[in-house]
Coordinates of all heavy atoms in Angstrom, one line a residue:
M1 N -58.6 -26.4 -67.0 CA -57.7 -25.2 -67.0 C -57.7 -24.7 -68.5 O -56.7 -24.3 -68.9 CB -56.3 -25.6 -66.6 CG -56.2 -26.0 -65.2 SD -55.4 -24.6 -64.6 CE -55.6 -24.7 -62.9
A2 N -58.8 -24.6 -69.1 CA -58.8 -24.1 -70.5 C -59.1 -22.6 -70.5 O -59.3 -22.1 -71.6 CB -59.9 -24.9 -71.2
Q3 N -59.1 -22.0 -69.3 CA -59.4 -20.5 -69.3 C -58.1 -19.8 -69.7 O -57.0 -20.1 -69.3 CB -59.8 -20.1 -67.9 CG -61.1 -20.7 -67.5 CD -61.4 -20.3 -66.0 OE1 -60.5 -19.8 -65.3 NE2 -62.6 -20.5 -65.6
S4 N -58.3 -18.8 -70.6 CA -57.2 -17.9 -70.9 C -57.3 -16.6 -70.2 O -58.4 -16.1 -70.0 CB -57.2 -17.7 -72.4 OG -58.3 -17.0 -72.8
R5 N -56.2 -16.1 -69.8 CA -56.2 -14.8 -69.1 C -55.9 -13.7 -70.0 O -55.0 -13.7 -70.8 CB -55.2 -14.8 -68.0 CG -55.5 -15.8 -66.9 CD -54.6 -15.6 -65.8 NE -55.1 -16.2 -64.6 CZ -54.5 -16.2 -63.4 NH1 -53.3 -15.6 -63.3 NH2 -55.0 -16.7 -62.3
H6 N -56.8 -12.7 -70.0 CA -56.6 -11.5 -70.8 C -56.3 -10.3 -69.8 O -57.0 -10.2 -68.8 CB -57.8 -11.2 -71.6 CG -58.1 -12.2 -72.7 ND1 -57.4 -12.3 -73.8 CD2 -59.1 -13.2 -72.7 CE1 -57.9 -13.3 -74.5 NE2 -58.9 -13.8 -73.9
P7 N -55.3 -9.6 -70.1 CA -55.1 -8.4 -69.2 C -56.2 -7.4 -69.3 O -56.9 -7.3 -70.3 CB -53.8 -7.8 -69.7 CG -53.5 -8.4 -71.0 CD -54.3 -9.7 -71.1
A8 N -56.5 -6.7 -68.2 CA -57.6 -5.8 -68.1 C -57.4 -4.6 -69.1 O -58.4 -4.0 -69.5 CB -57.8 -5.3 -66.7
S9 N -56.2 -4.3 -69.4 CA -55.9 -3.1 -70.3 C -55.5 -3.5 -71.7 O -54.5 -3.0 -72.2 CB -54.9 -2.2 -69.6 OG -53.7 -2.9 -69.5
S10 N -56.2 -4.4 -72.3 CA -55.8 -4.8 -73.6 C -56.2 -3.7 -74.6 O -57.1 -3.0 -74.4 CB -56.5 -6.1 -74.0 OG -57.9 -5.9 -74.1
P11 N -55.5 -3.6 -75.7 CA -55.7 -2.6 -76.7 C -57.1 -2.6 -77.2 O -57.7 -1.6 -77.6 CB -54.7 -2.8 -77.8 CG -53.7 -3.7 -77.2 CD -54.3 -4.5 -76.1
A12 N -57.8 -3.7 -77.3 CA -59.1 -3.8 -77.9 C -60.2 -3.3 -77.0 O -61.2 -2.8 -77.4 CB -59.4 -5.3 -78.3
T13 N -59.9 -3.3 -75.6 CA -60.9 -2.9 -74.7 C -60.6 -1.5 -74.1 O -61.5 -0.9 -73.4 CB -61.1 -3.9 -73.6 OG1 -59.9 -4.0 -72.9 CG2 -61.6 -5.2 -74.1
A14 N -59.4 -1.0 -74.3 CA -59.0 0.3 -73.8 C -59.7 1.4 -74.6 O -59.9 1.4 -75.8 CB -57.5 0.5 -73.9
P15 N -60.2 2.5 -73.9 CA -60.9 3.6 -74.6 C -59.8 4.4 -75.4 O -58.7 4.4 -75.0 CB -61.5 4.4 -73.5 CG -60.7 4.1 -72.2 CD -60.2 2.6 -72.4
P16 N -60.2 4.9 -76.5 CA -59.3 5.7 -77.3 C -58.8 6.9 -76.5 O -59.5 7.6 -75.8 CB -60.1 6.2 -78.5 CG -61.5 6.0 -78.1 CD -61.6 5.0 -77.1
R17 N -57.5 7.1 -76.5 CA -56.8 8.1 -75.7 C -56.6 9.4 -76.6 O -56.2 9.3 -77.7 CB -55.5 7.6 -75.2 CG -54.9 8.4 -74.0 CD -53.7 7.7 -73.6 NE -52.6 8.5 -74.1 CZ -51.3 8.3 -73.9 NH1 -50.9 7.2 -73.3 NH2 -50.4 9.1 -74.3
S18 N -57.1 10.5 -76.1 CA -56.8 11.7 -76.9 C -55.4 12.1 -76.7 O -54.8 11.9 -75.7 CB -57.8 12.9 -76.4 OG -57.4 13.2 -75.0
Y19 N -54.8 12.7 -77.8 CA -53.4 13.1 -77.8 C -53.2 14.4 -77.0 O -53.8 15.4 -77.2 CB -52.9 13.3 -79.2 CG -51.5 13.8 -79.2 CD1 -50.5 12.9 -78.9 CD2 -51.2 15.1 -79.5 CE1 -49.2 13.4 -78.9 CE2 -49.9 15.6 -79.5 CZ -48.9 14.7 -79.2 OH -47.6 15.1 -79.2
L20 N -52.4 14.3 -76.0 CA -52.0 15.5 -75.2 C -50.5 15.6 -75.3 O -49.7 14.6 -75.1 CB -52.4 15.3 -73.8 CG -53.9 15.4 -73.5 CD1 -54.1 15.1 -72.0 CD2 -54.5 16.7 -73.8
P21 N -50.0 16.8 -75.6 CA -48.5 17.0 -75.7 C -47.9 16.8 -74.3 O -48.6 17.0 -73.3 CB -48.3 18.4 -76.2 CG -49.6 19.1 -76.0 CD -50.7 18.0 -76.0
P22 N -46.7 16.5 -74.2 CA -46.0 16.3 -72.9 C -46.0 17.6 -72.1 O -45.9 18.7 -72.7 CB -44.6 15.9 -73.3 CG -44.5 15.6 -74.7 CD -45.8 16.2 -75.3
P23 N -46.1 17.6 -70.8 CA -46.1 18.8 -70.0 C -44.9 19.7 -70.2 O -45.0 20.9 -70.2 CB -46.2 18.3 -68.6 CG -46.7 16.9 -68.7 CD -46.3 16.4 -70.0
A24 N -43.7 19.1 -70.5 CA -42.5 19.8 -70.7 C -42.6 20.7 -71.9 O -42.2 21.8 -72.0 CB -41.3 18.9 -70.8
L25 N -43.2 20.1 -73.0 CA -43.4 20.9 -74.2 C -44.4 22.1 -74.0 O -44.1 23.2 -74.5 CB -43.9 20.0 -75.3 CG -44.2 20.7 -76.7 CD1 -42.9 21.2 -77.3 CD2 -44.8 19.7 -77.6
C26 N -45.4 21.8 -73.3 CA -46.4 22.9 -73.0 C -45.7 24.0 -72.2 O -45.9 25.2 -72.4 CB -47.6 22.4 -72.2 SG -48.6 21.3 -73.2
G27 N -44.9 23.6 -71.2 CA -44.2 24.6 -70.4 C -43.2 25.4 -71.2 O -43.1 26.6 -71.0
F28 N -42.5 24.7 -72.1 CA -41.5 25.4 -73.0 C -42.2 26.4 -73.8 O -41.8 27.6 -74.0 CB -40.8 24.4 -73.8 CG -39.9 25.0 -74.8 CD1 -38.7 25.6 -74.4 CD2 -40.2 25.0 -76.2 CE1 -37.9 26.2 -75.4 CE2 -39.4 25.6 -77.1 CZ -38.2 26.2 -76.7
L29 N -43.4 26.0 -74.4 CA -44.1 27.0 -75.3 C -44.6 28.2 -74.5 O -44.6 29.3 -75.0 CB -45.2 26.2 -76.0 CG -44.8 25.2 -77.1 CD1 -46.0 24.5 -77.6 CD2 -43.9 25.8 -78.1
V30 N -45.1 27.9 -73.3 CA -45.6 29.1 -72.5 C -44.5 30.0 -72.2 O -44.6 31.2 -72.2 CB -46.3 28.5 -71.2 CG1 -46.5 29.6 -70.2 CG2 -47.6 27.8 -71.6
L31 N -43.3 29.4 -71.8 CA -42.1 30.2 -71.5 C -41.7 31.0 -72.7 O -41.3 32.2 -72.6 CB -41.0 29.3 -71.0 CG -39.7 30.0 -70.5 CD1 -40.0 30.9 -69.3 CD2 -38.7 29.0 -70.2
L32 N -41.7 30.4 -73.9 CA -41.3 31.1 -75.1 C -42.2 32.2 -75.4 O -41.7 33.3 -75.8 CB -41.3 30.1 -76.3 CG -40.7 30.5 -77.6 CD1 -39.2 30.7 -77.4 CD2 -40.9 29.4 -78.6
V33 N -43.5 32.1 -75.3 CA -44.4 33.2 -75.5 C -44.2 34.3 -74.5 O -44.3 35.5 -74.9 CB -45.9 32.6 -75.5 CG1 -46.9 33.7 -75.5 CG2 -46.1 31.7 -76.7
L34 N -44.0 33.9 -73.3 CA -43.8 34.9 -72.2 C -42.5 35.7 -72.5 O -42.5 37.0 -72.4 CB -43.7 34.2 -70.9 CG -43.5 35.1 -69.7 CD1 -44.7 36.0 -69.5 CD2 -43.2 34.3 -68.4
V35 N -41.4 35.1 -72.9 CA -40.2 35.8 -73.2 C -40.4 36.7 -74.4 O -39.9 37.9 -74.3 CB -39.0 34.8 -73.5 CG1 -37.8 35.5 -74.1 CG2 -38.6 34.1 -72.2
F36 N -41.0 36.3 -75.4 CA -41.3 37.2 -76.6 C -42.2 38.4 -76.2 O -42.0 39.5 -76.6 CB -41.9 36.4 -77.8 CG -40.8 35.8 -78.6 CD1 -40.7 34.4 -78.6 CD2 -40.0 36.5 -79.4 CE1 -39.7 33.8 -79.4 CE2 -39.0 35.9 -80.2 CZ -38.9 34.5 -80.2
A37 N -43.2 38.1 -75.4 CA -44.1 39.2 -75.0 C -43.3 40.2 -74.1 O -43.5 41.4 -74.3 CB -45.3 38.6 -74.2
V38 N -42.5 39.8 -73.2 CA -41.7 40.7 -72.4 C -40.7 41.5 -73.2 O -40.6 42.7 -73.1 CB -41.0 40.0 -71.2 CG1 -40.0 40.9 -70.5 CG2 -42.0 39.4 -70.2
S39 N -40.0 40.8 -74.2 CA -39.1 41.5 -75.0 C -39.8 42.5 -75.9 O -39.2 43.6 -76.2 CB -38.2 40.5 -75.8 OG -39.0 39.9 -76.8
Y40 N -40.9 42.2 -76.4 CA -41.7 43.1 -77.2 C -42.1 44.4 -76.4 O -42.0 45.5 -76.9 CB -42.9 42.5 -77.8 CG -43.7 43.4 -78.7 CD1 -43.3 43.7 -80.0 CD2 -44.9 43.9 -78.2 CE1 -44.1 44.5 -80.8 CE2 -45.7 44.8 -79.0 CZ -45.3 45.1 -80.3 OH -46.0 45.9 -81.1
G41 N -42.6 44.1 -75.2 CA -43.0 45.2 -74.3 C -41.8 46.1 -74.0 O -42.0 47.4 -74.0
V42 N -40.7 45.6 -73.7 CA -39.5 46.4 -73.4 C -39.1 47.2 -74.6 O -38.7 48.3 -74.5 CB -38.3 45.5 -72.9 CG1 -37.0 46.2 -72.8 CG2 -38.7 44.9 -71.5
G43 N -39.1 46.5 -75.8 CA -38.7 47.2 -77.0 C -39.6 48.4 -77.3 O -39.2 49.4 -77.8
R44 N -40.9 48.2 -77.1 CA -41.9 49.3 -77.3 C -41.7 50.4 -76.4 O -41.9 51.6 -76.7 CB -43.3 48.8 -77.2 CG -43.7 47.8 -78.3 CD -43.9 48.5 -79.6 NE -45.1 49.3 -79.6 CZ -45.6 50.1 -80.5 NH1 -45.0 50.1 -81.7 NH2 -46.7 50.8 -80.4
S45 N -41.4 50.1 -75.1 CA -41.2 51.2 -74.1 C -39.9 51.9 -74.3 O -39.8 53.1 -74.0 CB -41.3 50.6 -72.7 OG -40.2 49.8 -72.5
V46 N -38.9 51.3 -74.8 CA -37.6 52.0 -75.0 C -37.6 52.9 -76.2 O -37.1 54.0 -76.2 CB -36.4 50.9 -75.1 CG1 -35.2 51.6 -75.5 CG2 -36.3 50.2 -73.8
G47 N -38.2 52.4 -77.2 CA -38.3 53.3 -78.4 C -37.3 52.8 -79.5 O -36.7 51.8 -79.4
P48 N -37.1 53.7 -80.5 CA -36.2 53.4 -81.6 C -34.7 53.3 -81.1 O -34.4 53.9 -80.1 CB -36.3 54.5 -82.6 CG -37.0 55.6 -81.8 CD -37.7 55.0 -80.7
V49 N -33.9 52.5 -81.8 CA -32.5 52.3 -81.4 C -31.6 53.4 -81.9 O -30.5 53.5 -81.4 CB -32.0 50.9 -81.9 CG1 -32.8 49.8 -81.2 CG2 -32.1 50.9 -83.4
A50 N -32.1 54.2 -82.8 CA -31.2 55.3 -83.3 C -32.0 56.6 -83.4 O -33.2 56.5 -83.7 CB -30.7 54.9 -84.7
P51 N -31.4 57.7 -83.1 CA -32.2 59.0 -83.2 C -32.7 59.2 -84.6 O -32.0 59.0 -85.6 CB -31.1 60.0 -82.9 CG -30.0 59.3 -82.2 CD -30.0 57.9 -82.7
G52 N -33.9 59.6 -84.7 CA -34.5 59.9 -86.0 C -35.0 58.7 -86.8 O -35.4 58.8 -87.9
M53 N -34.9 57.5 -86.1 CA -35.3 56.3 -86.8 C -36.8 56.2 -86.7 O -37.3 56.2 -85.6 CB -34.6 55.1 -86.2 CG -34.9 53.8 -86.9 SD -33.9 52.6 -86.1 CE -34.4 51.2 -87.1
H54 N -37.4 56.0 -87.8 CA -38.9 55.9 -87.8 C -39.2 54.6 -88.6 O -38.3 54.0 -89.2 CB -39.5 57.1 -88.5 CG -39.2 58.4 -87.7 ND1 -39.7 58.6 -86.4 CD2 -38.5 59.4 -88.0 CE1 -39.3 59.8 -86.0 NE2 -38.5 60.3 -87.0
G55 N -40.4 54.3 -88.8 CA -40.8 53.1 -89.5 C -40.5 53.2 -90.9 O -39.9 54.1 -91.4
P56 N -40.9 52.2 -91.7 CA -40.6 52.1 -93.1 C -41.4 53.1 -94.0 O -41.5 52.9 -95.2 CB -40.9 50.7 -93.5 CG -41.9 50.3 -92.5 CD -41.6 51.0 -91.3
A57 N -42.0 54.1 -93.4 CA -42.8 55.1 -94.2 C -41.9 55.9 -95.1 O -40.8 56.2 -94.8 CB -43.6 56.0 -93.2
T58 N -42.4 56.2 -96.2 CA -41.7 57.0 -97.2 C -41.7 58.5 -96.7 O -42.6 58.9 -96.0 CB -42.3 56.9 -98.6 OG1 -43.6 57.4 -98.5 CG2 -42.2 55.5 -99.1
T59 N -40.7 59.2 -97.1 CA -40.6 60.6 -96.7 C -41.4 61.5 -97.6 O -41.5 62.7 -97.3 CB -39.1 61.1 -96.7 OG1 -38.5 60.8 -98.1 CG2 -38.3 60.3 -95.7
G60 N -41.8 61.0 -98.7 CA -42.7 61.8 -99.6 C -41.8 62.8 -100.4 O -40.7 63.1 -100.1
G61 N -42.4 63.4 -101.4 CA -41.8 64.4 -102.2 C -40.7 63.9 -103.2 O -40.0 64.6 -103.7
G62 N -40.6 62.6 -103.2 CA -39.6 62.0 -104.1 C -40.0 62.1 -105.6 O -41.0 61.7 -106.0
T63 N -39.1 62.7 -106.4 CA -39.4 62.8 -107.8 C -38.5 62.0 -108.7 O -38.4 62.2 -109.8 CB -39.3 64.3 -108.2 OG1 -37.9 64.7 -107.9 CG2 -40.3 65.2 -107.5
G64 N -37.7 61.1 -108.0 CA -36.8 60.2 -108.8 C -37.5 59.3 -109.7 O -38.7 59.0 -109.5
D65 N -36.8 58.7 -110.6 CA -37.4 57.7 -111.5 C -37.4 56.3 -110.9 O -37.9 55.4 -111.6 CB -36.7 57.8 -112.9 CG -35.2 57.5 -112.8 OD1 -34.7 57.3 -111.7 OD2 -34.6 57.6 -113.8
G66 N -36.8 56.1 -109.8 CA -36.8 54.9 -109.1 C -35.9 53.8 -109.6 O -36.0 52.6 -109.3
D67 N -34.8 54.2 -110.4 CA -33.9 53.2 -110.9 C -32.8 52.9 -109.9 O -32.0 52.0 -110.1 CB -33.3 53.6 -112.2 CG -32.5 54.9 -112.2 OD1 -32.4 55.5 -111.1 OD2 -31.9 55.2 -113.2
G68 N -32.7 53.6 -108.8 CA -31.8 53.4 -107.7 C -30.4 53.9 -108.1 O -29.4 53.5 -107.4
D69 N -30.2 54.7 -109.1 CA -28.9 55.2 -109.5 C -28.4 56.2 -108.5 O -29.1 57.2 -108.2 CB -29.0 55.8 -110.9 CG -27.6 56.2 -111.5 OD1 -26.6 55.6 -111.0 OD2 -27.6 57.1 -112.3
Q70 N -27.2 56.0 -108.0 CA -26.7 57.0 -107.1 C -25.7 57.9 -108.0 O -24.6 57.4 -108.3 CB -25.9 56.4 -106.0 CG -26.8 55.5 -105.1 CD -26.0 54.8 -104.1 OE1 -24.8 54.8 -104.0 NE2 -26.7 54.2 -103.2
G71 N -26.1 59.0 -108.3 CA -25.3 59.9 -109.2 C -23.9 60.1 -108.7 O -23.7 60.3 -107.5
G72 N -22.9 60.1 -109.6 CA -21.6 60.4 -109.2 C -20.8 59.2 -108.8 O -19.6 59.3 -108.4
T73 N -21.3 58.0 -108.9 CA -20.5 56.8 -108.5 C -19.7 56.3 -109.7 O -18.9 55.4 -109.5 CB -21.5 55.7 -108.0 OG1 -22.4 55.4 -109.0 CG2 -22.2 56.2 -106.7
D74 N -19.8 56.9 -110.9 CA -19.1 56.4 -112.0 C -17.6 56.7 -111.9 O -16.8 55.9 -112.4 CB -19.6 57.0 -113.3 CG -21.1 56.6 -113.6 OD1 -21.5 55.5 -113.1 OD2 -21.7 57.3 -114.3
D75 N -17.2 57.7 -111.2 CA -15.9 58.2 -111.1 C -15.2 57.6 -109.9 O -14.0 57.9 -109.6 CB -15.8 59.7 -111.1 CG -16.3 60.3 -112.4 OD1 -16.2 59.6 -113.4 OD2 -16.8 61.4 -112.3
M76 N -15.8 56.7 -109.1 CA -15.2 56.2 -107.9 C -14.0 55.3 -108.3 O -14.1 54.5 -109.2 CB -16.2 55.4 -107.1 CG -17.2 56.3 -106.4 SD -18.4 55.5 -105.4 CE -17.4 54.5 -104.3
D77 N -13.0 55.3 -107.5 CA -11.8 54.5 -107.7 C -12.1 53.2 -106.9 O -12.0 53.1 -105.7 CB -10.5 55.2 -107.2 CG -9.3 54.3 -107.4 OD1 -9.4 53.4 -108.2 OD2 -8.3 54.6 -106.7
M78 N -12.4 52.1 -107.6 CA -12.6 50.8 -107.0 C -11.4 50.0 -106.9 O -11.4 48.8 -106.5 CB -13.7 50.1 -107.8 CG -15.0 50.8 -107.8 SD -15.7 51.2 -106.2 CE -16.6 49.7 -105.9
G79 N -10.2 50.5 -107.2 CA -9.0 49.8 -107.2 C -8.3 49.8 -105.8 O -7.1 49.4 -105.7
G80 N -8.9 50.2 -104.8 CA -8.3 50.2 -103.5 C -7.3 51.3 -103.2 O -6.5 51.2 -102.4
G81 N -7.4 52.4 -104.0 CA -6.5 53.5 -103.9 C -5.1 53.4 -104.6 O -4.3 54.2 -104.4
H82 N -4.9 52.4 -105.4 CA -3.7 52.2 -106.1 C -3.7 53.1 -107.4 O -4.7 53.2 -108.0 CB -3.4 50.8 -106.5 CG -3.3 49.9 -105.3 ND1 -2.3 49.9 -104.4 CD2 -4.2 48.9 -104.8 CE1 -2.5 49.0 -103.5 NE2 -3.7 48.4 -103.7
G83 N -2.6 53.7 -107.7 CA -2.5 54.5 -108.9 C -2.5 53.6 -110.1 O -2.0 52.5 -110.1
H84 N -2.9 54.2 -111.2 CA -2.8 53.5 -112.5 C -1.7 53.9 -113.3 O -1.3 54.9 -113.7 CB -4.1 53.8 -113.3 CG -5.3 53.0 -112.7 ND1 -5.9 53.4 -111.5 CD2 -5.9 51.9 -113.1 CE1 -6.9 52.6 -111.2 NE2 -6.9 51.7 -112.2

């Protein structure tokens, strides 16, 4: 009785298994892509959310110096309307 028993599926004799993600993860990713595709399609078909809203294109003809100064804001009352 000197025979030793080795299981048929020992790690040394098992073929290397390729990694496959769980089916639930694959299903979730497919569902996520589908939801984003449908929402993108609906958004494209509906159009802009505000009248006159266009892409980030510039309107052209701007001759400002680009410092972002909004003229006339120096005289604004920032005290909440309380008199001095």
Side-chain angles (χ1 to χ4, degrees):
M1 293 252 164
Q3 295 177 346
S4 63
R5 292 186 163 184
H6 294 286
S9 61
S10 67
T13 60
R17 203 175 101 180
S18 64
Y19 176 73
L20 293 174
L25 179 64
C26 292
F28 174 73
L29 292 177
V30 168
L31 183 64
L32 190 67
V33 168
L34 182 66
V35 167
F36 276 109
V38 168
S39 68
Y40 179 78
V42 169
R44 290 287 289 180
S45 67
V46 170
V49 295
M53 184 175 181
H54 302 291
T58 59
T59 57
T63 58
D65 56 2
D67 63 358
D69 184 27
Q70 298 176 354
T73 58
D74 294 339
D75 296 332
M76 288 179 56
D77 180 22
M78 300 303 274
H82 300 289
H84 286 74

